[in-house]
Amino acid sequence: MKNLFTALAVCLFCATSCCNECKQNATCNDCCEGKNPVIETIMARRSIRAYTDQSVSRELLNQITECGINAPNGMNAQQWEVRIVDNKEWLDKTTAAYCESIKGTPAAKQTEDPAFKNMFRNAPAVIFVAHKPGHCTQVDCGLMAGNMMLAAQSLGLGSICMMGPLVWLKSDAGKPFTESLGFSEGYEPLLCVGIGYAAERPEARPRNKEVIKYVE
Ligand SMILES: Cc1cc2nc3c(=O)[nH]c(=O)nc-3n(C[C@H](O)[C@H](O)[C@H](O)COP(=O)(O)O)c2cc1C
C-alpha cells in the first residue's frame, strides 16, 4: 500500500513537474518508463528498405543533417563533410550505371525485384558522409549517422544507414558519381543514409542481450 502511494505520488509529481521536461529530468525514468520520447524513438527505429514516392522537404533534410553535425565527435575536430542528394535524376542515373556494371553477377538479383527503385534501398533522399581519415573519424561519422536516423524517426520519416553502395561508388565505374558529390580533397566517402517516408514497418531484428554484462 505504502509503495502504491509512493508510486502515485511520484507519478503525480512527474505529471505536474517533470513530464514536460522529460528530456532533461533523470527522475522521469521512474514514472514515464516506455514513454520517454527519446527512448521510444530509439526503440522504434528500424532500417527501412521500402519507401513511398513522397519526397522529403529540404526543411526536414536540413533539420536531420543539423542533428547529424551536432553529434559528439573526437576533440570537436569535425573532420567530416555531408552531401544531400534529393535529386531523383542523380539517384536514377547512378542506379542505372550501377545496374549496368553488375549485370550477370549475384548482386544483380536485388535489382530484379519489381519493388526495386534505386541502389540506395529505394530511398528518395540520400545523405552521403565523408571523413578525413584520422584517429576517431569513422566513429564520429557513425555517431553522426545515428543522430540523423533518430532525428528522421522522430520526424515521422524512415531511414537506413548503408555502406554497401559506397563499395561500388569507389570503384572505377562509380567514381564519376562520387566525384559529382563534390567532397573536398582528402575526404573519403564512408557511408550514406537513405531518408524517406516508410512504406514498410519491419519488426525489430533480434538483439543479443548477453553481450551486456556488469563488472562487479
Ligand atoms: C555501418 C552500417 C552499414 C550498413 N550497411 C547497410 C547496407 O549497405 N545495406 C543495407 O541494406 N543495410 C545496411 N545497414 C543496416 C543494417 O543491416 C541494420 O541496421 C541491421 O540489420 C539492424 O536492423 P535495424 O536497423 O532495423 O535495427 C547498415 C548498418 C550500419 C550501422
Side-chain angles (χ1 to χ4, degrees):
M1 198 59 154
K2 198 178 156 205
N3 284 348
L4 184 66
F5 275 125
T6 310
L8 280 173
V10 168
C11 280
L12 203 62
F13 167 77
C14 287
T16 53
S17 66
C18 87
C19 282
N20 289 337
E21 297 159 48
C22 260
K23 288 164 223 139
Q24 302 300 328
N25 196 329
T27 61
C28 244
N29 270 340
D30 298 336
C31 67
C32 311
E33 201 177 354
K35 293 208 180 86
N36 177 310
V38 176
I39 291 173
E40 289 214 325
T41 299
I42 291 170
M43 298 310 277
R45 183 215 57 83
R46 302 275 62 99
S47 292
I48 300 299
R49 297 179 175 87
Y51 294 89
T52 70
D53 289 331
Q54 188 180 347
S55 57
V56 183
S57 73
R58 290 202 167 181
E59 194 187 346
L60 292 180
L61 290 169
N62 290 343
Q63 247 184 314
I64 290 166
T65 43
E66 203 172 322
C67 287
I69 60 167
N70 270 278
N73 63 98
M75 296 172 73
N76 197 30
Q78 302 175 62
Q79 300 291 285
W80 53 31
E81 284 189 354
V82 178
R83 298 291 180 267
I84 308 168
V85 180
D86 59 355
N87 173 347
K88 188 173 182 312
E89 202 186 320
W90 190 98
L91 296 172
D92 289 348
K93 260 190 185 170
T94 308
T95 299
Y98 168 73
C99 291
E100 187 57 35
S101 74
I102 60 161
K103 248 186 199 163
T105 73
K109 199 164 185 292
Q110 174 208 330
T111 67
E112 287 155 13
D113 182 339
F116 179 81
K117 288 181 183 169
N118 70 40
M119 64 181 287
F120 304 100
R121 290 294 190 193
N122 311 311
V126 184
I127 302 168
F128 292 88
V129 177
H131 69 131
K132 195 172 192 180
H135 183 49
C136 359
T137 52
Q138 294 208 11
V139 176
D140 296 343
C141 291
L143 291 168
M144 173 195 270
N147 265 19
M148 293 197 291
M149 289 186 284
L150 293 177
Q153 177 73 28
S154 77
L155 293 166
L157 289 156
S159 69
I160 181 163
C161 179
M162 294 166 280
M163 288 186 85
L166 274 301
V167 176
W168 181 79
L169 281 167
K170 288 178 187 175
S171 71
D172 286 346
K175 249 181 202 144
F177 300 95
T178 307
E179 280 166 13
S180 73
L181 294 172
F183 285 116
S184 302
E185 189 71 30
Y187 281 78
E188 268 181 29
L190 181 65
L191 57 84
C192 58
V193 177
I195 305 278
Y197 290 92
E200 63 171 0
R201 289 194 66 174
E203 288 292 316
R205 293 190 174 181
R207 294 315 205 247
N208 174 17
K209 291 191 184 173
E210 299 295 314
V211 299
I212 308 169
K213 288 193 174 24
Y214 279 98
V215 178
E216 304 289 2

